[in-house]
Amino acid sequence: MSDKQLHRIPLSRNLAAIIICGSSALLAPEVAAAADWPDGKPITIVVPFSPGGFTDLVARRFAQDLGNELKTTIVVQNKPGASGQIGTALVAREKPDGYNLLITATQHVIYPGLQPNLPYDPKKSFSNVAILAYAPNVLLVPAKSPISNAKEFTAYANKQPGGLAFGSSSVGGSAHMSGELYKMVAGANLRHIPYKGAAPAVTDLIGAQIPAAFLDATSAAAFIRSGDVKALAVTSKDRLPSLPDVPTVAESGYPSYESQAWIGLFGPAGMPTPIVQKLNQIAIDSAHTEANIKWLNDNNATPAKLSPAQVTGFVDAELDKWKAVIDQAHVTVQ
């Protein structure tokens, strides 16, 4: 070994020690924050929608499990308005210390494509923690409709001179976007009829005032079971355990189709990694208890199991996907 090689050994070891010490110093605040958190302090979960909806119900069930696990008080605050933007912006401005969280739904990735000047950046303003539940939409027709599957639905729509009307609960909502994506993938001649909520849309569908609708499976569940409406297909990648006989749109002849509504847990950008990981694990454990799996299935929803990194990838892909659909379908919010 040469003299030069001998001199390199201690230098390399010293450099490695410096790198290790530096990394430890950078991680120390995060580790300390996670070790102390929540230290008996209350945690606030903001739901940017009105009380009583499915997102709110999921949030409150999770809050109970979170409080039991962390042995602290969890306060759920409803901050509705502007399709979820008010409550979402509120959390985006909070300190990233784990004491202010957001539970929101698919609008989180749809509205940025509809309103580009939001008071927050959906890709940069949040720590992506967990997906709490998947709750897909369903393609429905009146009970006495002669249409029995998605292929027949597309063929029938394409015979209508002005396009076949389909209802949804709002403009720019997950159900509406499921319909717009269906138009694109299936090549179906459809036109959207927006309602102010799922209830009036279901009422008109049952009465055959509209020939079809895309609605969230949770709102439609009781009417599907009672036979008041006919479910042609679910929009998710997999069939719902609660509707095993209803195929997916993908199974029905459109394999590239997937429209997944969901409910997710977020925090302000920059939350310490250990806190994000701890919240993620609690969320997964909560969603997969026997009681919560049954409750989700009873509401035509299913639990999720994504890591924080997977949630980030999922959210980013959803943002890009729905922006493309919105642009191609020329969807606007008045």
Side-chain angles (χ1 to χ4, degrees), residues 33 47 54 69 75 81 84 93 95 115 140 165 179 184 194 205 209-210 225-226 240 250 255 259 275 277 293 317:
V47 177
F54 190 57
E69 181 66 27
V75 179
R93 295 192 296 266
K95 292 181 180 179
Q115 297 181 339
L140 303 163
M184 292 166 53
L205 186 68
Q209 300 301 307
I210 52 172
R225 285 194 290 266
S226 66
L240 281 169
S259 176
I275 292 179
Q277 291 173 337
I293 288 175

Side-chain angles (χ1 to χ4, degrees), residues 79-244:
K79 298 287 185 181
S83 300
Q85 295 174 37
I86 292 175
T88 301
L90 180 67
V91 175
R93 295 192 296 266
E94 295 287 355
K95 292 181 180 179
D97 53 11
Y99 293 101
N100 293 279
L101 306 173
L102 171 73
I103 290 183
T104 189
T106 322
Q107 286 92 328
H108 188 69
V109 293
I110 293 175
Y111 265 82
L114 292 167
Q115 297 181 339
N117 298 317
L118 293 173
Y120 52 84
D121 185 328
K123 285 190 177 183
K124 297 179 180 178
S125 299
F126 302 96
S127 297
N128 301 313
V129 180
I131 300 299
L132 301 176
Y134 296 120
N137 298 304
V138 188
L139 169 56
L140 303 163
V141 293
K144 294 183 180 179
S145 171
I147 302 169
S148 59
N149 58 57
K151 281 289 189 177
E152 289 181 6
F153 175 75
T154 300
Y156 182 76
N158 289 342
K159 292 177 182 178
Q160 310 309 308
L164 185 69
F166 76 93
S168 84
S169 54
S170 66
V171 175
S174 172
H176 175 200
M177 289 297 100
S178 290
E180 295 295 344
L181 182 63
Y182 188 95
K183 285 171 59 177
M184 292 166 53
V185 173
N189 186 13
L190 301 175
R191 55 187 175 87
H192 180 230
I193 306 296
Y195 284 79
K196 292 183 178 180
V202 169
T203 299
D204 275 7
L205 186 68
I206 291 172
Q209 300 301 307
I210 52 172
F214 279 87
L215 295 171
D216 68 278
T218 302
S219 298
F223 304 101
I224 295 170
R225 285 194 290 266
S226 66
D228 289 322
V229 297
K230 189 190 305 185
L232 301 184
V234 295
T235 64
S236 51
K237 181 180 180 181
D238 301 311
R239 293 192 186 196
L240 281 169
S242 51
L243 297 173

Side-chain angles (χ1 to χ4, degrees), residues 37-38 41-45 66 70 72-76 98-101 279:
W37 178 85
K41 298 176 184 177
I43 295 171
T44 297
I45 295 176
L66 183 64
L70 297 178
T72 194
T73 301
I74 311 296
V75 179
V76 177
Y99 293 101
N100 293 279
L101 306 173
L279 283 167

